[in-house]
Amino acid sequence: MGTTGAYDALPPAVPEWLNKGDNAWQMTASTLVCIQSVPGLVILYGSIVKKKWAVNSAFMALYAFAAVLICWVLVCYRMAFGDQLLPFWGKGAPALGQKYLIRQAAVPETGSDPFYPMATLVYFQFTFAAITLILLAGSVLGRMNIKAWMAFVPLWLIFSYTVGAFSLWGGGFLYQWGVIDYSGGYVIHLSSGIAGLTAAYWVGPRLKSDRERFPPNNVLLMLAGAGLLWMGWSGFNGGAPYAANIAASIAVLNTNICAATSLLVWTSLDVIFFKKPSVIGAVQGMMTGLVCITPGAGVVQSWAAIVMGILSGSIPWVSMMILHKKSKLLQKVDDTLGVFHTHAVAGLLGGLLTGLLAEPALCRLLKPESNTRGAFYGGNGGKQFMKQIVAALFVTGWNIVITTLILLAIKLFLPLRMPDEELVIGDDAVHGEEAYALWGDGERYDPTKHDPTKQGWHVSSYSGEIAHSPYGSGARGVTVEL
């Protein structure tokens, strides 16, 4: 029984170039990163916020995950990892065709040819794009108009994320220059933190009452989401070499060492200054450790991972708990979950430390012909550190400008911030659904009855002094002095 047409061109199910181990690990790593987002960050966001925002916060993450996948396969994957259009951008095209997806994976501008199909690589890189948008959402929880968010996700993916990804990973000018971003300290974390802060500025703040008191509605669920995030990071950094190799093993170990160290340092600082260990603080310390190690996970030694953990548990702590209080700009901008501190500051810190601590032999595991090394190892290491600084400036500047332009364009058609009457009620006003319908913290929304200005509720304006705590309560995080 013969077949004709397109089916004749199909290769065998296991072609000669396919490495089953690499393919299995890459798909496993992809699934681990997906679990970080869904259900990990969906659970984390839905539980770390005030009860009235649980549904909205979780849904913003879930929507972004779905929207990014469709945009990714329609045009964005090849903008980030395809043939060069500009030094910082690839040529957009669909990644849906059978012939394209079943052939051996390749990133044309880097010469990388992993031993598995394009379908595996397309899906793996999607997981990074999705989590970047979800992390960004943490800055605008509790007030961004959901329709504006639905428009923002595909636009930011197309005009911001793909630029950073191509420039640093896809063979763009920063990749060719030799900048190290092993698994997304700049592409994912610095960009989401800077774009999140920029978005928070343009969207505007939460209600004053929410800014002053924003306790998590379920600390145990928050820990469950955080745990999924931590465990999934083994796929996040372990999948970056595109193979089940030594670099992947080093990256997984370093990732967990740095996260654990950072959590312990952050918790210790909480005990020293606040006399009690904070569970939310421990999650923040875990996060900054995971973020900080990401740009160098596979190229630094394990003792260096401890050093990076000590610094990621202390420097972002200082920026969040002390400098935030002293900065008029940071006080004005309502970054709901402190994404600027946990991702932008920690991502920048990790990128710079990688420029100091990247070990030459480990760098050669990823690029055998490379002479890359951190400044700590002499040679051309000083130049490497400067390259890391320049790359950070490019990513920061691009995200500020593009995020601003996207939001101003959306604002022409949709309000960026929910109206105050919806902000008073929360989920029931926005979605007609509540996380805790039987014991929620507000009345059901009735647009014919609920006018906050007539019901005697206090609705804050944008002006005036607004108390802020990164931990969601005005009682903590604002009294530490240098």
Side-chain angles (χ1 to χ4, degrees):
M1 296 178 64
T3 57
T4 58
Y7 294 100
D8 291 333
L10 284 173
V14 184
E16 292 182 0
W17 48 259
L18 179 65
N19 183 306
K20 292 182 179 180
D22 286 354
N23 195 36
W25 168 239
Q26 208 67 33
M27 291 191 291
T28 301
S30 301
T31 303
L32 286 170
V33 182
C34 283
I35 289 173
Q36 289 184 287
S37 295
V38 180
L41 284 169
V42 171
I43 294 173
L44 181 63
Y45 283 6
S47 55
I48 201 171
V49 297
K50 205 170 184 177
K51 281 186 287 186
K52 70 176 184 178
W53 291 117
V55 172
N56 180 256
S57 300
F59 180 71
M60 286 178 69
L62 184 65
Y63 165 80
F65 188 83
V68 168
L69 177 55
I70 300 306
C71 295
W72 193 247
V73 296
L74 286 176
V75 67
C76 292
Y77 170 76
R78 293 172 77 168
M79 293 177 73
F81 295 94
D83 296 315
Q84 178 174 307
L85 175 66
L86 297 169
F88 54 87
W89 226 357
K91 297 178 182 178
L96 289 168
Q98 173 180 294
K99 291 183 178 179
Y100 182 79
L101 293 174
I102 66 175
R103 74 188 192 194
Q104 183 177 357
V107 182
E109 301 299 332
T110 68
S112 176
D113 298 298
F115 297 110
Y116 43 74
M118 281 297 302
T120 299
L121 185 58
V122 170
Y123 189 66
F124 177 71
Q125 289 297 347
F126 145 71
T127 65
F128 286 85
I131 201 170
T132 307
L133 265 298
I134 295 172
L135 293 173
L136 191 162
S139 292
V140 292
L141 297 180
R143 83 284 198 173
M144 186 170 185
N145 179 357
I146 189 64
K147 295 177 182 177
W149 174 247
M150 294 170 76
F152 176 81
V153 168
L155 291 174
W156 193 86
L157 177 69
I158 291 170
F159 293 104
S160 186
Y161 181 82
T162 58
V163 169
F166 184 81
S167 298
L168 283 155
W169 289 344
F173 75 105
L174 293 175
Y175 175 91
Q176 301 296 343
W177 195 33
V179 176
I180 303 173
D181 189 7
Y182 171 82
S183 194
Y186 287 175
V187 175
I188 296 171
H189 300 295
L190 180 59
S191 64
S192 64
I194 294 297
L197 188 72
T198 306
Y201 173 83
W202 289 108
V203 172
R206 290 166 289 169
L207 293 179
K208 182 181 179 182
S209 58
D210 282 350
R211 290 196 72 181
E212 291 176 343
R213 181 161 177 76
F214 206 69
N217 67 80
N218 194 317
V219 173
L220 295 181
L221 270 182
M222 178 193 73
L223 284 174
L228 290 169
L229 197 64
W230 185 348
M231 294 303 100
W233 223 286
S234 292
F236 197 104
N237 288 345
Y242 293 164
N245 58 19
I246 294 174
S249 299
I250 292 292
V252 170
L253 179 60
N254 286 346
T255 296
N256 286 275
I257 289 173
C258 188
T261 304
S262 183
L263 184 154
L264 295 175
V265 170
W266 192 294
T267 300
S268 298
L269 289 171
D270 275 352
V271 171
I272 291 169
F273 286 95
F274 301 126
K275 310 307 178 186
K276 294 180 180 179
S278 164
V279 176
I280 300 177
V283 171
Q284 303 278 34
M286 174 206 80
M287 184 78 72
T288 55
L290 292 167
V291 169
C292 183
I293 194 62
T294 292
V299 298
V300 301
Q301 297 187 64
S302 293
W303 64 261
I306 294 179
V307 173
M308 294 173 78
I310 293 170
L311 294 174
S312 63
S314 54
I315 292 177
W317 188 94
V318 171
S319 77
M320 178 180 280
M321 310 306 279
I322 298 175
L323 300 182
H324 187 105
K325 171 65 175 176
K326 296 179 178 294
S327 169
K328 291 183 179 180
L329 173 62
L330 293 177
Q331 282 286 298
K332 179 181 179 181
V333 180
D334 181 16
D335 180 358
T336 306
L337 298 185
V339 177
F340 173 76
H341 303 285
T342 56
H343 292 274
V345 173
L348 174 62
L349 176 65
L352 297 181
L353 288 173
T354 299
L356 294 174
L357 300 171
E359 203 277 332
L362 293 176
C363 290
R364 287 194 293 273
L365 289 178
L366 297 173
K367 294 182 181 179
E369 73 287 353
S370 171
N371 191 33
T372 302
R373 64 186 63 218
F376 182 81
Y377 295 94
N380 63 350
K383 292 181 179 179
Q384 186 63 48
F385 184 72
M386 292 305 300
K387 291 176 182 179
Q388 301 296 115
I389 294 175
V390 172
L393 291 174
F394 171 76
V395 171
T396 298
W398 186 270
N399 277 280
I400 290 173
V401 172
I402 295 302
T403 304
T404 295
L405 293 175
I406 290 171
L407 288 168
L408 291 179
I410 293 172
K411 194 175 182 180
L412 296 175
F413 305 96
L414 292 167
L416 299 178
R417 185 177 183 266
M418 299 179 201
D420 285 346
E421 58 268 24
E422 290 187 6
L423 292 175
V424 169
I425 301 298
D427 288 337
D428 194 42
V430 181
H431 301 283
E433 298 165 316
E434 294 176 296
Y436 307 103
L438 297 180
W439 40 286
D441 62 349
E443 299 180 48
R444 287 193 172 275
Y445 177 64
D446 183 347
T448 65
K449 296 179 180 179
H450 289 142
D451 182 343
T453 60
K454 296 179 181 178
Q455 296 294 323
W457 295 327
H458 174 72
V459 179
S460 71
S461 66
Y462 293 166
S463 62
E465 184 71 16
I466 298 178
H468 174 82
S469 165
Y471 290 164
S473 170
R476 298 198 66 218
V478 295
T479 59
V480 181
E481 298 293 336
L482 284 172

